[in-house]
Amino acid sequence: MIRLFCQILSQIVRHRTSPFTLSISSAYFYPTPSKFIINRLNSGPLQSLTLSYLQKSRGLSLESAVSASKKLELDSTKKPDLVLNLLRKYGLTQTHIKYLITNRPILLLADKDNTLKSNLEVFKSLGISGNSLAKMLSKEPRVLDVDAKTVVEFFRENGFSDKQITILTMKRPILYLCRAHKNFKPKLEFFKSLGFSELDIAQILSAEPYILERSLENTIMPCVQVLRRVVGDDSNVLKVIKASYRILEVNVKKMLEPNMLLLANHGVPESLILKVFLFQPKILLLKTDRLSAIIGEVKKMGFSPTTLLFVLAVRSMSMTNKALWDRKLEAYRSFGLSNDEIHLAFKLQPMCMLSSEKKIRKLMDFFVNKLNISPSVISKNPNLMLLSLEKRILPRCSVLNILMSKELINEGFKLIYMLRMTEKMFGKNVVTKYQDLVPEIVEAHQGRVEFQGFSRDLKM
C-alpha cells in the first residue's frame, strides 16, 4: 500500500507546474492530491490487488489500471492468469493483451473453458489467430464473450464458405453480437425471394457485411421497391444489386431519388437513367451536390447528356478525387501527350482515367518505348489503356512476333487492331488459323513465351 501511495504521489507531482500550484489543465484531469490519495487509500484490499495486478503484472499505466479497476474486482489472480495464458496460446502478444485488457478488463474473469476457449477455437478454425485475431478483437473485443460457434454454424448452413465467413468476421466482428436466426435469417430469405442463389447471397454479404446491419423493413425493402419501380422486374433488380452491393445500404429517399431527378433535369433520358441503374449504379450513391458539380464539369467538356459516354465520364470523375486526377494527367503528359490529346482520349473513352496511375505509366512506357507507338496514336485509341499488359498485350505480341519471324505475316499488320480484337476473334482468326503450322503460338498465347520485342520494326 505504501508503494502504491508513492506511485500515485509521483504521478501527481509530475503533472504540477510548480512545487505548490497545479496548472489549469492538470487540475482538470487530476483530482487534488489529498482527494486522489484518500480515494485510493480508502480502497479495500480487493481494489488494491486489482490495481497491483493490472499495473505490475500486465504492464498497464497507473491511469489505465485505475480506469480498468472500476470495471473489475479481483479476489484472486488464478483465473486471470489462466485467461491470459489461453490468449497467449492463440498467438496474442503482450502488446495485444495489454490493449485488450485496457479496453475490456472484464475479460480477465471470462469463463475460460466453456466460452473463451470455445470461441478462440471457432476463430482458429477460420484461420483467425495471432495478428489477425488481435486485429479482429481490436474492433470488437466482446466477440469473446458471445456464442461465436452458433453464428459461424448459421453462415455455414446458409452456403457461406469458411473463407467468406472469415472475410465477414474480419470486416464486421460486431455481427457476432447479433442473434443470427432472428436478425439475419429474414434478410437471407428476402434475398432468396428476389431470385438470388445461396452462392450470390454469400458473395454479396461477405463482400459488404454492413448490409446485415441495416433494417430489412426500413432500408433494404424500400430500396428494392424503388429499384423495381425504375428497372422493372426482379431480374433487373438483381443486376443492379450485383453491380453495386452498397446500394442496399442507402436511404433511397435522401440519395437515390434526388440523384435520379438531377440526371433527368440535366437532360439525361429515362432510358439512359435505366442503364445507369443497371451498369453504373455507383453514380447514384454520390452526394447530390457532388454529383451536380461533376455533371457541370462533364458538360463543360462537351459531353452530351443524351449519350452513354456522358454517363461514363461522370462515373470516371466520381471515382477519382482531384489530387489523383491531376497525378494521372501528369502521368499521361510525362510520355508526351498534350492536354488537348488527353482531352481527346477522355472524350473517346472516359474510362481511360479509371486506370491507376501505376497502370497508366506502365502501359504508356510499353507502348511508347517498347512498341514505338506515337503518343498521339494512343490518344486516338484510348481503349488500349483498358487492356491488361500481362494477360492480353504481351501474349498477343509474342504470338505476332513468332508469326512474323516465320514470315506468315509481315510487318505491315495492324498491331492496334490486333490488340483491340476480342479474345474470341483473336483466337479464331490468328491462333487457330496458324497453330497447326506453328504450334508454339499456343504457348505464347497462354503467356508462357516471354516477349522481348519485335524482331523487325513495324510499319505504324
Side-chain angles (χ1 to χ4, degrees):
M1 183 63 73
I2 292 174
R3 186 175 297 171
L4 176 63
F5 175 90
C6 292
Q7 290 172 340
I8 296 171
L9 184 60
S10 173
Q11 188 77 9
I12 294 168
V13 169
R14 282 200 299 272
H15 288 83
R16 296 180 63 130
T17 57
S18 74
F20 305 102
T21 309
L22 285 170
S23 69
I24 294 175
S25 59
S26 297
Y28 181 82
F29 287 104
Y30 292 88
T32 59
S34 58
K35 183 177 179 181
F36 189 88
I37 295 170
I38 290 171
N39 284 345
R40 304 320 300 162
L41 290 180
N42 284 341
S43 301
L46 296 182
Q47 189 69 29
S48 299
L49 173 64
T50 304
L51 277 170
S52 177
Y53 184 81
L54 293 172
Q55 190 180 3
K56 294 180 182 178
S57 303
R58 306 281 60 87
L60 272 66
S61 66
L62 179 62
E63 291 84 2
S64 296
V66 170
S67 176
S69 69
K70 295 176 183 178
K71 306 171 186 176
L72 179 73
E73 192 172 87
L74 303 178
D75 57 7
S76 166
T77 62
K78 182 179 179 181
K79 191 171 186 178
D81 283 341
L82 291 173
V83 167
L84 295 176
N85 287 336
L86 185 64
L87 293 175
R88 292 190 195 98
K89 180 181 176 182
Y90 286 86
L92 295 185
T93 66
Q94 182 63 25
T95 302
H96 297 151
I97 292 172
K98 181 179 176 181
Y99 178 86
L100 191 58
I101 298 306
T102 299
N103 288 276
R104 191 159 180 76
I106 197 69
L107 186 63
L108 290 170
L109 298 180
D111 186 334
K112 180 181 77 72
D113 294 317
N114 296 325
T115 302
L116 188 58
K117 185 175 181 180
S118 173
N119 286 340
L120 289 169
E121 279 296 318
V122 168
F123 295 130
K124 184 180 179 181
S125 73
L126 296 172
I128 302 174
S129 61
N131 287 333
S132 59
L133 177 63
K135 184 178 180 180
M136 186 263 287
L137 293 178
S138 70
K139 294 180 180 178
E140 187 48 77
R142 291 178 294 173
V143 297
L144 293 178
D145 300 332
V146 300
D147 184 4
K149 183 178 180 181
T150 297
V151 177
V152 170
E153 286 179 347
F154 171 83
F155 285 119
R156 283 174 176 159
E157 290 167 0
N158 284 278
F160 286 70
S161 68
D162 279 5
K163 182 179 180 180
Q164 289 170 327
I165 298 172
T166 301
I167 294 171
L168 182 148
T169 301
M170 294 302 297
K171 285 184 176 180
R172 298 301 293 169
I174 196 172
L175 294 174
Y176 281 81
L177 307 186
C178 302
R179 287 181 287 179
H181 285 274
K182 180 180 179 181
N183 297 107
F184 304 153
K185 192 172 181 60
K187 294 167 187 174
L188 268 59
E189 292 299 329
F190 178 70
F191 293 138
K192 287 179 183 177
S193 72
L194 295 176
F196 284 109
S197 66
E198 276 194 349
L199 186 64
D200 290 331
I201 295 170
Q203 183 177 335
I204 291 170
L205 297 181
S206 61
E208 201 69 27
Y210 306 91
I211 295 170
L212 286 169
E213 299 175 49
R214 299 296 183 263
S215 166
L216 178 60
E217 293 77 14
N218 299 327
T219 301
I220 297 174
M221 292 178 72
C223 178
V224 170
Q225 289 169 1
V226 170
L227 295 179
R228 280 175 173 152
R229 188 168 68 246
V230 176
V231 302
D233 55 35
D234 282 355
S235 64
N236 282 335
V237 171
L238 264 62
K239 290 179 183 177
V240 173
I241 295 172
K242 286 181 178 180
S244 179
Y245 304 153
R246 201 169 69 84
I247 204 164
L248 290 171
E249 300 176 45
V250 304
N251 185 312
V252 290
K253 291 291 182 184
K254 291 183 178 180
M255 188 171 290
L256 288 182
E257 292 181 346
N259 285 349
M260 289 165 54
L261 183 61
L262 178 66
L263 288 170
N265 289 341
H266 276 280
V268 180
E270 186 176 333
S271 60
L272 198 50
I273 294 177
L274 175 61
K275 286 186 178 180
V276 172
F277 261 103
L278 293 177
F279 304 111
Q280 310 291 338
K282 289 183 180 179
I283 294 174
L284 299 168
L285 303 183
L286 294 172
K287 291 183 178 179
T288 303
D289 56 350
R290 172 161 163 72
L291 178 59
S292 179
I294 291 173
I295 289 173
E297 287 294 318
V298 170
K299 291 180 80 171
K300 285 181 184 177
M301 292 180 185
F303 287 91
S304 169
T306 61
T307 66
L308 183 59
L309 286 176
F310 174 86
V311 174
L312 294 177
V314 171
R315 180 187 179 225
S316 293
M317 294 196 73
S318 70
M319 295 182 68
T320 310
N321 60 44
K322 186 179 185 306
L324 181 55
W325 185 272
D326 289 342
R327 290 202 301 272
K328 291 180 180 182
L329 291 177
E330 180 54 35
Y332 280 116
R333 283 194 289 261
S334 69
F335 287 93
L337 283 169
S338 66
N339 288 335
D340 286 342
E341 287 172 327
I342 298 171
H343 184 256
L344 171 63
F346 185 67
K347 286 201 69 175
L348 292 173
Q349 178 46 272
M351 291 176 67
C352 71
M353 289 298 287
L354 284 180
S355 296
S356 68
E357 180 189 357
K358 180 179 179 181
K359 181 177 180 180
I360 290 171
R361 291 187 181 278
K362 184 166 67 172
L363 285 175
M364 288 297 295
D365 179 65
F366 183 81
F367 291 140
V368 174
N369 298 322
K370 196 78 171 180
L371 300 183
N372 295 318
I373 298 177
S374 167
S376 63
V377 172
I378 298 172
S379 71
K380 296 171 185 174
N381 296 275
N383 281 330
L384 292 172
M385 302 305 299
L386 308 184
L387 305 179
S388 168
L389 180 62
E390 293 78 13
K391 294 180 180 179
R392 175 181 285 200
I393 299 172
L394 287 172
R396 290 194 184 184
C397 286
S398 293
V399 169
L400 296 170
N401 188 48
I402 292 171
L403 293 177
M404 190 165 60
S405 68
K406 301 291 184 181
E407 298 186 348
L408 292 171
I409 59 174
N410 60 43
E411 61 271 20
F413 69 86
K414 296 179 180 179
L415 176 60
I416 292 175
Y417 173 74
M418 291 290 190
L419 295 178
R420 292 182 55 181
M421 192 183 294
T422 66
E423 187 61 31
K424 183 177 180 180
M425 285 183 63
F426 187 84
K428 178 183 177 181
N429 297 342
V430 180
V431 179
T432 302
K433 181 178 179 179
Y434 294 108
Q435 65 182 8
D436 290 338
L437 293 172
V438 191
E440 57 263 40
I441 66 170
V442 175
E443 286 193 356
H445 188 224
Q446 294 170 349
R448 291 189 285 172
V449 175
E450 186 177 358
F451 176 70
Q452 297 289 350
F454 285 108
S455 56
R456 298 202 299 271
D457 291 336
L458 302 182
K459 296 177 182 179
M460 293 293 184

